[in-house]
Amino acid sequence: MTGADRTVVHVTSAGTTTVECDALAAAAARLRAFAERLDGAAADLMTATYEVATLPGTPEAAALDQALRDVRTAWYAPHHLADDVRALARGMAGAAERYAEAESDAARAARAGLEVAGAAAAGSGPLMLPLLVSTGVAWVADQVLRDWVRNVLLWVRGGRNPLDATIDGLPSVPARLLDAPGTADALAFVTGALATTLPPWMRSGRAMEDLVAAAARAVPFRPPSVTPLLGPVVSPRVRDLGDAMRLVGSTYGHGPVGLPEATITVQRIERADGAVSWVVAIPGTQSPGLTGLSPTHNGTNAQLAAGRPDAMSAAVLAAMAAAGVGREDPVMLVGHSQGGMVAATVAATGAYAVRAVVTAGSPDVPRTLPPGTVHVALVNDMDGVPSLDAEPGTRRADVVGIDSRSLPDQPFEAHDVGGYARTADAVDAALAEAPEDSRERQALADVLGVGPGGATTTTTQWVATTPPQAVLVPAPAPSPQAVPVPPEPSARAVSRGS
């Protein structure tokens, strides 16, 4: 998923920090605009020189002519300054581009090296198992050793016994093994090994893409069916990103009422002036298998990652149409994990006027969002799921919230939708300090802003299923030998029937 600009919001125990990742490129653009103004000033000075030359030959005219010549030939002349500013802009833009390319190339090279290492381990025959086990042991030992060094340093400053502190930290090691960089490295190693099992004609040299494509081809697309739950749902109006994530949590059934899997929540917001906007909340993976009645299974994950048609995205489009979403109505699509991948896929179709896509703990998908669509990506730095796209360093989101406030005690706790709701609250606070004309605030206001007079909301829920398709097998045509031939009527039979 791509975006033109990016603002990164880091949420840590020390508070929230906003960083403009594309500040170099933006500053270069402003410098180029300033250079054009200086060019205009230089042209004005040249025009003034020509006009002074037409004046009568008085001392005043001569003094003015000399002053204009001095300004045009000095080191601070506008055209000289314009050249310097333009050179500075080129340098800043080039630095930003080279930095981005270097980061992407380095990540790609590291991933390729780990894939080769995994393939070598898989091809080592009897050494494969010891290599994989030793790699896992080294990975765990690295985390424990880091704890030990940190605890020793704290002990020197008057902290607790480093041995006791390290032992107490052992339960959190599995969760830390799922951090995004480590998971990406481990994933590259494992996929490199698994890709060796594919036939040669299915290998392109990119192990993750090859495996995902193979899995996606093995999962057939089944058209979904969308069924409304009875009656509107009582749900608070979504006012910001935190409310949007809590709406996703309720879509999972977090609350007093349990919901079926693959429940899609659609909230209609009608302003006092009659304008209508929509928020669509999409849950993540809820079934471990590759197929099933509910489309929120791992087969859908493979199809989304491979860019192939999937049932959950089709179900969301069907639910939006059934709920009455207008083609030009402003829409926010918000999803957690797989739901974020689905949200980006739905937005990329261009079927609706999606102003914002909010993803939480979601891997990227090979889709390009339409121009004017803002992508708000919430990524917990202890959550390994977003790294499953095996493309570290390529995320191009408009807003990335990184929550480092607490260390999870259990694997995948950092992936919980409730934690992402808290991260979204912190990002809301940071965005409140951003300029009102920023892309992020404008996109959210288009959907959630109500203006004077307030707004009314109506929330409906829709359940997506992929029922098995009946396969009609035509009956074989009977052979001529099997067709009974009626006997020729005898004269006696004819006479009896007359």
Side-chain angles (χ1 to χ4, degrees):
M1 291 174 284
T2 60
D5 302 313
R6 180 172 59 164
T7 302
V8 176
V9 179
H10 294 273
V11 183
T12 66
S13 57
T16 303
T17 304
T18 302
V19 181
E20 296 290 340
C21 291
D22 293 331
L24 285 176
R30 288 193 293 269
L31 287 174
R32 285 192 292 268
F34 182 58
E36 292 179 0
R37 293 186 179 183
L38 289 172
D39 288 335
D44 291 341
L45 285 175
M46 180 64 71
T47 301
T49 301
Y50 291 148
E51 292 178 353
V52 168
T54 63
L55 296 176
T58 63
E60 292 79 5
L64 181 57
D65 180 69
Q66 185 60 45
L68 290 172
R69 291 180 184 274
D70 291 342
V71 172
R72 290 178 50 229
T73 57
W75 66 268
Y76 52 80
H79 66 281
H80 289 160
L81 292 179
D83 292 340
D84 293 341
V85 170
R86 201 173 286 112
L88 179 60
R90 285 196 300 269
M92 295 181 71
E97 184 177 353
R98 285 190 297 271
Y99 177 81
E101 290 177 353
E103 183 182 21
S104 179
D105 291 343
R108 194 173 294 111
R111 186 182 67 250
L114 288 167
E115 289 180 357
V116 171
S124 60
L127 295 177
M128 179 180 68
L129 184 60
L131 280 173
L132 293 176
V133 172
S134 62
T135 301
V137 171
W139 198 12
V140 174
D142 175 70
Q143 292 294 326
V144 176
L145 182 60
R146 288 172 184 266
D147 278 357
W148 171 257
V149 172
R150 181 171 58 251
N151 291 328
V152 167
L153 294 176
L154 293 174
W155 173 65
V156 171
R157 298 178 182 179
R160 60 182 300 200
N161 185 293
L163 180 60
D164 294 340
T166 302
I167 293 175
D168 291 343
L170 290 179
S172 66
V173 169
R176 280 176 282 164
L177 297 180
L178 295 172
D179 66 69
T183 301
D185 294 343
L187 187 64
F189 184 85
V190 172
T191 53
L194 293 177
T196 60
T197 63
L198 297 176
W201 61 85
M202 296 180 64
R203 303 181 197 172
S204 66
R206 296 179 62 85
M208 171 57 76
E209 293 182 4
D210 295 341
L211 289 172
V212 168
R217 283 193 290 268
V219 180
F221 173 76
R222 290 160 55 186
S225 174
V226 176
T227 305
L229 293 180
L230 296 178
V233 180
V234 178
S235 178
R237 179 170 69 84
V238 175
R239 300 174 183 271
D240 51 29
L241 296 177
D243 289 344
M245 289 311 306
R246 280 182 280 275
L247 185 65
V248 177
S250 69
T251 294
Y252 275 111
H254 294 182
V257 180
L259 294 174
E261 293 183 358
T263 297
I264 303 161
T265 302
V266 181
Q267 184 172 105
R268 181 180 186 270
I269 303 174
E270 183 174 357
R271 298 169 174 82
D273 60 3
V276 175
S277 57
W278 304 79
V279 178
V280 182
I282 310 165
T285 306
Q286 295 172 289
S287 302
L290 292 176
T291 59
L293 183 64
S294 165
T296 51
H297 49 61
N298 283 310
T300 297
N301 286 328
Q303 291 168 328
L304 288 164
R308 297 172 66 90
D310 70 282
M312 195 59 187
S313 297
V316 171
L317 288 168
M320 292 173 69
V325 179
R327 296 290 181 177
E328 303 301 324
D329 294 344
V331 177
M332 171 193 286
L333 297 170
V334 53
H336 171 244
S337 193
Q338 180 192 103
M341 303 166 71
V342 171
T345 301
V346 171
T349 65
Y352 293 95
V354 178
R355 294 290 291 114
V357 174
V358 183
T359 63
S362 303
D364 284 340
V365 294
R367 305 286 187 180
T368 300
L369 299 181
T373 301
V374 168
H375 175 207
V376 179
L378 303 175
V379 181
N380 189 315
D381 63 354
M382 293 300 297
D383 183 5
V385 174
S387 68
L388 295 179
D389 54 20
E391 291 290 344
T394 61
R395 184 176 295 279
R396 294 291 301 168
D398 292 287
V399 178
V400 182
I402 302 180
D403 186 359
S404 309
R405 289 173 292 176
S406 60
L407 188 66
D409 294 327
Q410 300 295 330
F412 293 108
E413 183 179 329
H415 189 61
D416 184 72
V417 67
Y420 275 115
R422 293 190 296 272
T423 302
D425 289 334
V427 174
D428 284 325
L431 288 180
E433 304 298 327
E436 292 187 3
D437 60 350
S438 65
R439 295 181 70 243
E440 298 83 22
R441 290 192 62 173
Q442 286 184 344
L444 296 178
D446 286 348
V447 180
L448 307 179
V450 297
T456 58
T457 61
T458 304
T459 303
T460 55
Q461 292 181 316
W462 310 76
V463 179
T465 55
T466 50
Q469 294 178 277
V471 179
L472 300 179
V473 180
S479 61
Q481 293 81 4
V483 177
V485 179
E488 292 291 336
S490 61
R492 183 178 179 181
V494 170
S495 172
R496 182 180 300 172
S498 60

